Amino acid sequence: MRVGIVGATGIVGRELLELLAAGTSIRISELRLSASPRSAGKKLMTAWGELTIRSLDEEFFCGLDLCFFCTGKTISARWVPAAVARGVRCLDNSSAFRMQEGVPVIVPEVNGNLLSADLRLVANPNCCVAQLTPVLHPVKVHFGLEEVTVSTYQAVSGAGQDAMEQMARELAQHPRSVGAGQLLFNLIPYIGRRNNAGHSEEEEKIVRETRKILELPTLPMAVTAVRVPVMRGHALAVTFKTRKEAVPEEIGQLLSSAPNLRVVDAPQPIVAQHTNAVYVGRIRSNSAFAHRSFSLWIVADNLRTGAAHNALKTAEAWCRA
Ligand SMILES: NC(=O)c1ccc[n+]([C@@H]2O[C@H](COP(=O)([O-])OP(=O)(O)OC[C@H]3O[C@@H](n4cnc5c(N)ncnc54)[C@H](OP(=O)(O)O)[C@@H]3O)[C@@H](O)[C@H]2O)c1
């Protein structure tokens, strides 16, 4: 199979290259890499030999079977349609097409059944959604879901290579650099633009995509998304109400048997770094607050579970479909 990666020099693109090199069921006969004009012509050593980063043009997609887009939404919005028009199967990591009708947003263990050979475009979900939905899905199936409240604690790498470099610079300059917008020793209580109602772009994505993947279009959700000074690994504090009676032990048992979930006492982002699992812990009842209300804590590696690993699992399942 001839495979392309657009955005191969970014942190998601590089993570995907590492995962592909570590082993995949996709039989890759040719790998093509592309990035911005800044990187065009640079060489990258890969498991497929030294490859030259190509600039992005129509020619790049010629003869490709599958292309991963690891770019921001403006570049994806511009180039995914060009690749689809050439018959290339496209797996897009950006938010550009996630809410478009007919484009499935896939977390394989939740809705991998939607993948079919005739699809040409599949979206990878928002990083928090990729770790939230595998936990909420079994709860929905077994106990029903009435409402969900989420607070996120999102690592700096979720904002891309530039943000990681910013925090590294702040670390080198400390204690001189102190100011609003600083990543180090600070929390930023919104991610992306805020709408007139005060919700941030990230919060809106988490609500919309979770509802789409769980096929619960009116699920009441309240989300607060926060950037924290952690390099890698997102954490989510989740409170939800079930429709049927449950006790925390039953929820724990249910989640222990769900694919790719690891139920542990109190997982920390550092444990999830460079792993492909979703860690769940602190499962408890809020009986003094509301009937059938539970809280739990989820951590996962935003670059693996939240991006590259989910994309690779989806592509592998798609190629088998
Ligand atoms: N980081 C995460 O945790 C995460 C999780 C889930 C989804 N995502 C999504 O995944 C996508 C990539 O994120 P990232 O964190 O990897 O970002 P990043 O580190 O900033 O990388 C962006 C990539 O896009 C390339 N690019 C920029 N302008 C381009 C242009 N004009 N033409 C072609 N390529 C261009 C960059 O190339 P240069 O190196 O040449 O500039 C780089 O390879 C985004 O849509 C993001 O929202 C990220």
Side-chain angles (χ1 to χ4, degrees):
M1 203 171 225
R2 283 161 296 190
V3 176
I5 302 179
V6 179
T9 53
I11 44 177
V12 173
R14 281 184 281 130
E15 197 69 28
L16 180 60
L17 271 168
E18 265 185 40
L19 289 174
L20 286 171
T24 171
S25 60
I26 301 171
R27 295 163 68 97
I28 301 177
S29 57
E30 182 191 341
L31 185 64
R32 282 181 213 165
L33 308 180
S34 172
S36 81
R38 286 181 295 280
S39 304
K42 286 186 186 160
K43 312 257 186 227
L44 211 61
M45 187 46 82
T46 74
W48 290 266
E50 190 179 66
L51 299 179
T52 303
I53 306 287
R54 294 172 53 164
S55 54
L56 194 51
D57 50 24
E58 300 267 347
E59 187 59 27
F60 178 80
F61 302 110
C62 211
L64 279 187
D65 300 298
L66 172 69
C67 189
F68 294 93
F69 281 80
C70 305
T71 40
K73 66 179 176 190
T74 311
I75 303 299
S76 289
R78 163 72 182 86
W79 288 103
V80 167
V84 167
R86 286 180 174 259
V88 182
R89 288 186 189 198
C90 296
L91 212 162
D92 184 29
N93 272 290
S94 85
S95 60
F97 300 97
R98 291 179 192 150
M99 296 315 296
Q100 191 166 299
E101 206 162 318
V103 177
V105 184
I106 299 292
V107 176
E109 57 269 41
V110 176
N111 61 351
N113 59 308
L114 298 180
L115 292 167
S116 64
D118 54 319
L119 278 169
R120 279 297 164 269
L121 173 56
V122 168
N124 216 31
N126 168 277
C127 38
C128 291
V129 175
Q131 67 186 82
L132 178 63
T133 50
V135 176
L136 292 183
H137 177 66
V139 175
K140 171 200 144 180
V141 171
H142 286 83
F143 299 111
L145 262 183
E146 242 173 47
E147 59 179 41
V148 178
T149 302
V150 182
S151 297
T152 74
Y153 304 77
Q154 296 185 222
V156 167
S157 55
Q161 183 67 36
D162 289 352
M164 288 176 81
E165 286 168 10
Q166 180 187 331
M167 194 157 91
R169 275 196 308 277
E170 289 171 2
L171 196 54
Q173 285 168 7
H174 185 77
R176 276 178 294 134
S177 83
V178 176
Q182 176 174 317
L183 295 167
L184 192 65
F185 305 132
N186 195 18
L187 299 178
I188 302 186
Y190 56 87
I191 296 177
R193 275 180 290 107
R194 278 171 283 167
N195 66 17
N196 291 339
H199 297 286
S200 75
E201 227 176 336
E202 185 77 357
E203 289 156 0
E204 288 187 293
K205 285 181 199 171
I206 294 172
V207 171
R208 287 201 213 112
E209 294 173 30
T210 299
R211 287 173 171 169
K212 180 168 175 174
I213 292 170
L214 294 180
E215 297 180 346
L216 293 173
T218 59
L219 179 68
M221 289 185 74
V223 180
T224 303
V226 178
R227 184 75 66 205
V228 302
V230 168
M231 231 10 146
R232 187 168 173 145
H234 287 357
L236 274 54
V238 183
T239 293
F240 57 88
K241 234 175 134 177
T242 56
R243 290 198 180 280
K244 294 185 195 158
E245 298 296 331
V247 292
E249 292 72 22
E250 284 176 305
I251 293 174
Q253 269 168 17
L254 174 69
L255 298 180
S256 304
S257 58
N260 205 34
L261 298 189
R262 289 197 200 154
V263 177
V264 293
D265 176 35
Q268 300 176 17
I270 214 154
V271 171
Q273 284 176 3
H274 303 281
T275 77
N276 300 325
V278 175
Y279 297 80
V280 191
R282 307 226 39 230
I283 303 170
R284 59 207 191 273
S285 156
N286 302 314
S287 53
F289 167 68
H291 193 48
R292 291 179 274 106
S293 169
F294 302 90
S295 289
L296 49 76
W297 174 252
I298 308 171
V299 300
D301 186 318
N302 52 299
L303 300 176
R304 292 275 191 99
T305 302
H309 185 248
N310 194 73
L312 181 56
K313 274 189 310 178
T314 299
E316 289 173 341
W318 195 8
C319 291
R320 285 194 300 270

